[in-house]
C-alpha cells in the first residue's frame, strides 16, 4: 500500500499543498465537454447542458443523514454522514434507489449548501462524509470540500461508487480520498449492457478498483471498529449468477489482494423495471447466495461481511477479530 500522507484526513494536505485546487480546476474544465465518466457525453455542463446523467452545473441532492445501515466500520456507532446525489451515470433496471437515481427525486443545491450538509453531518458526530453516487458530480464535490476545509471539516470522505468510473479520474483522487467503497457489479460486458446500459463496465470497474487499492490499500479498522482508510468492495449477488460472482472473486484475489474486505450483499429484490426481465423478477435463492460465499472462500477471501438476513441490510463479520456485531 502506498501511504505518503502526512496529515489525516488526506485532503487536508492536498488543500495545503495546492493539489486539491489543481484537481478542482482540471475536473471543472472537463465539464466543458463533459468527459468526467465513461459516457463522455461532451455536453457543456458549465452552461448547464445535460447528458446521460441529466445533471447540469449544480449537483442535485435527494437527502443527507447519518446512515446506520452501511457496513459496520463505515456506519460505526454514530452513523456515516451520507449524502445521496440524484441521478446516476448507470441505468440499472432493478435499482432500489430508482426514485432519485433514475427519476431524479431531489433538488439542485448550491455548493455552499453542500458544504453546510457536510458540516452538519460532522457536527452530528458522524464518522465520515459518505458521497453516494458521486461520479457525475465529482468536480462539484471537490470544490465543496475545498470550501468546507477552512470552515473546520476534518473527517474522512467515502467515495461510494457504482464502479462505472474512468481509471484516470480515480488517479486524480490520490491524496484526497481515504476510503473507497466501490461496487463490482458485473464480470461480463453483455450483462452490464443489458441490465445497466453500461458498456465497458467490467474492464473500467476493475481497473478503477486496482487504482483505488494502490492508493489506500485494504481497509484499516481501528480499535473501535471504525475504518480510517482503505478499500471495501461491494458485490451484489444477482439471480442466475448474472453478476458473475466467481470471476469477480478471482479477479479480487489475483489482481487486487486476498486481504481485500468484501461486502457480499444478498439484498437484491426486484423493483423498478425488473419485472420486464423474467430472469431477475425474483429475489436470489439461498443456494445462489451460498454459492457466492463459497466462491469467496475458494479464492482465499476471508475479510468482510455477509448479509445473513436475505433482503435486509444487516451485516455479519467473516473471519474478523474482533467480530462486528450485527
Amino acid at each position: 500500500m502506498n501511504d505518503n500522507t502526512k496529515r489525516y484526513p488526506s485532503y487536508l494536505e492536498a488543500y495545503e499543498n495546492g493539489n486539491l485546487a489543481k484537481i478542482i480546476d482540471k475536473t471543472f474544465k472537463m465539464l466543458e465537454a463533459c468527459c468526467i465518466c465513461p459516457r463522455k457525453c461532451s455536453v457543456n455542463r458549465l452552461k448547464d447542458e445535460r447528458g446521460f446523467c441529466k445533471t447540469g452545473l449544480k449537483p442535485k441532492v435527494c437527502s443527507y443523514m447519518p446512515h446506520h445501515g452501511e457496513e459496520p466500520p463505515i456506519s460505526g456507532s454514530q452513523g456515516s454522514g451520507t449524502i445521496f446525489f440524484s441521478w446516476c451515470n448507470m441505468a440499472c433496471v432493478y435499482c432500489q434507489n430508482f426514485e432519485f437515481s433514475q427519476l431524479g427525486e431531489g433538488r439542485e443545491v448550491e455548493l455552499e449548501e453542500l458544504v453546510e450538509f457536510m458540516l452538519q453531518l460532522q457536527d452530528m458526530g458522524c464518522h465520515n462524509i459518505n458521497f453516494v453516487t458521486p461520479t457525475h458530480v465529482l468536480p462539484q464535490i471537490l470544490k465543496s470540500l475545498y470550501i468546507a476545509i477552512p470552515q473546520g471539516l476534518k473527517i474522512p470522505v467515502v467515495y461510494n461508487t457504482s464502479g462505472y468510473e474512468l481509471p484516470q479520474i480515480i488517479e486524480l483522487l490520490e491524496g484526497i480520498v481515504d476510503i473507497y467503497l466501490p461496487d463490482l457489479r458485473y464480470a461480463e460486458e453483455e450483462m452490464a449492457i443489458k441490465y445497466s446500459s453500461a458498456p465497458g463496465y467490467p474492464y473500467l470497474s476493475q481497473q478503477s478498483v486496482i487504482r483505488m487499492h494502490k492508493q489506500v490499500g485494504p481497509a484499516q479498522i481501528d480499535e473501535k471498529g471504525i475504518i480510517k482508510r482503505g478499500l471495501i468492495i461491494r458485490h451484489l449477488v444477482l439471480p442466475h449468477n448474472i453478476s458473475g460472482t466467481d470471476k469477480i472473486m478471482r479477479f479480487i484475489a489475483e489482481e487486487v489482494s486476498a486481504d481485500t474486505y468484501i461486502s457480499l450483499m444478498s439484498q437484491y429484490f426486484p423493483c423498478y423495471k425488473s419485472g420486464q426481465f423474467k430472469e431477475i423478477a425474483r429475489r436470489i435463492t439461498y443456494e445462489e447466495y451460498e454459492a457466492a460465499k463459497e466462491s469467496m472462500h475458494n479464492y482465499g477471501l476471508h475479510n468482510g461481511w455477509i448479509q445473513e438476513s436475505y433482503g435486509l441490510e444487516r451485516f455479519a463479520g467473516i473471519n474478523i477479530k474482533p467480530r462486528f456485531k450485527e
Side-chain angles (χ1 to χ4, degrees), residues 217-240:
Q220 299 174 22
I221 300 171
D222 69 15
E223 66 281 356
K224 295 181 180 179
I226 306 301
I227 185 170
K228 308 304 288 183
R229 181 175 168 84
L231 169 70
I232 296 173
I233 296 174
R234 285 175 166 172
H235 179 66
L236 179 66
V237 181
L238 295 173
H240 298 288

Side-chain angles (χ1 to χ4, degrees), residues 15-192:
Y15 176 85
E16 292 175 357
N17 66 23
N19 186 55
L20 180 55
K22 291 178 183 178
I23 299 303
I24 291 168
D25 287 344
K26 186 169 186 176
T27 55
F28 264 93
K29 287 177 182 176
M30 296 175 76
L31 294 180
E32 189 171 6
C34 193
C35 55
I36 204 71
C37 90
R39 299 287 175 189
K40 297 183 178 179
C41 294
S42 296
V43 298
N44 189 344
R45 290 177 58 192
L46 297 179
K47 293 185 177 179
D48 211 36
E49 294 177 3
R50 317 288 171 113
F52 186 94
C53 72
K54 301 180 178 65
T55 304
L57 181 58
K58 294 181 181 180
K60 194 173 188 180
V61 173
C62 175
S63 63
Y64 68 100
M65 62 180 178
H67 192 350
H68 296 275
E70 302 281 49
E71 289 74 6
I74 293 177
S75 288
S77 58
Q78 299 293 109
S80 177
T82 306
I83 301 175
F84 291 93
F85 290 99
S86 304
W87 301 121
C88 182
N89 71 334
M90 292 177 71
C92 301
V93 297
Y94 51 80
C95 184
Q96 297 174 17
N97 296 325
F98 69 92
E99 291 94 344
F100 60 89
S101 70
Q102 305 301 315
L103 303 182
E105 180 180 299
R107 67 177 180 87
E108 291 186 346
V109 299
E110 302 290 343
L111 296 189
E112 290 76 14
E113 289 182 272
L114 191 53
V115 169
E116 185 59 29
F117 298 162
M118 295 159 65
L119 294 173
Q120 285 183 31
L121 291 166
Q122 177 174 268
D123 290 343
M124 292 176 189
C126 293
H127 301 289
N128 47 63
I129 301 298
N130 186 347
F131 298 117
V132 180
T133 321
T135 310
H136 60 300
V137 288
L138 176 60
Q140 295 90 333
I141 288 172
L142 295 177
K143 185 61 178 291
S144 298
L145 188 64
Y146 187 87
I147 298 170
I149 290 169
Q151 296 185 41
L153 187 70
K154 56 183 179 181
I155 56 177
V157 298
V158 179
Y159 195 78
N160 186 341
T161 170
S162 67
Y164 198 37
E165 302 277 354
L166 290 173
Q168 59 266 36
I169 297 296
I170 297 302
E171 290 175 355
L172 296 177
L173 299 180
E174 184 167 8
I176 297 171
V177 172
D178 280 301
I179 303 166
Y180 284 105
L181 185 61
D183 288 345
L184 280 180
R185 188 74 59 83
Y186 302 106
E188 300 292 342
E189 175 92 359
E190 178 184 357
M191 301 303 177

Side-chain angles (χ1 to χ4, degrees), residues 166-314:
L166 290 173
Q168 59 266 36
I169 297 296
I170 297 302
E171 290 175 355
L172 296 177
L173 299 180
E174 184 167 8
I176 297 171
V177 172
D178 280 301
I179 303 166
Y180 284 105
L181 185 61
D183 288 345
L184 280 180
R185 188 74 59 83
Y186 302 106
E188 300 292 342
E189 175 92 359
E190 178 184 357
M191 301 303 177
I193 292 173
K194 181 175 182 179
Y195 300 108
S196 295
S197 300
Y201 181 92
Y203 175 80
L204 292 169
S205 62
Q206 291 178 11
Q207 290 301 308
S208 294
V209 163
I210 287 172
R211 285 157 175 77
M212 293 174 188
H213 183 265
K214 183 179 179 181
Q215 291 176 24
V216 300
Q220 299 174 22
I221 300 171
D222 69 15
E223 66 281 356
K224 295 181 180 179
I226 306 301
I227 185 170
K228 308 304 288 183
R229 181 175 168 84
L231 169 70
I232 296 173
I233 296 174
R234 285 175 166 172
H235 179 66
L236 179 66
V237 181
L238 295 173
H240 298 288
N241 195 33
I242 285 168
S243 45
T245 300
D246 193 76
K247 290 183 178 180
I248 286 177
M249 296 305 154
R250 180 178 179 179
F251 160 77
I252 295 171
E254 295 182 356
E255 299 191 46
V256 184
S257 170
D259 294 328
T260 301
Y261 282 71
I262 298 169
S263 178
L264 189 67
M265 300 188 293
S266 65
Q267 69 196 51
Y268 174 80
F269 66 91
C271 58
Y272 194 39
K273 298 179 180 179
S274 57
Q276 300 175 21
F277 301 83
K278 182 179 179 180
E279 64 275 18
I280 60 170
R282 63 165 174 82
R283 291 180 182 269
I284 65 169
T285 64
Y286 173 83
E287 290 76 15
E288 286 170 332
Y289 192 65
E290 288 300 304
K293 288 164 60 178
E294 184 176 355
S295 289
M296 259 181 73
H297 294 148
N298 285 345
Y299 288 109
L301 300 166
H302 300 294
N303 287 336
W305 303 270
I306 58 174
Q307 290 182 309
E308 293 185 327
S309 300
Y310 294 93
L312 298 178
E313 294 190 18
R314 299 177 64 197

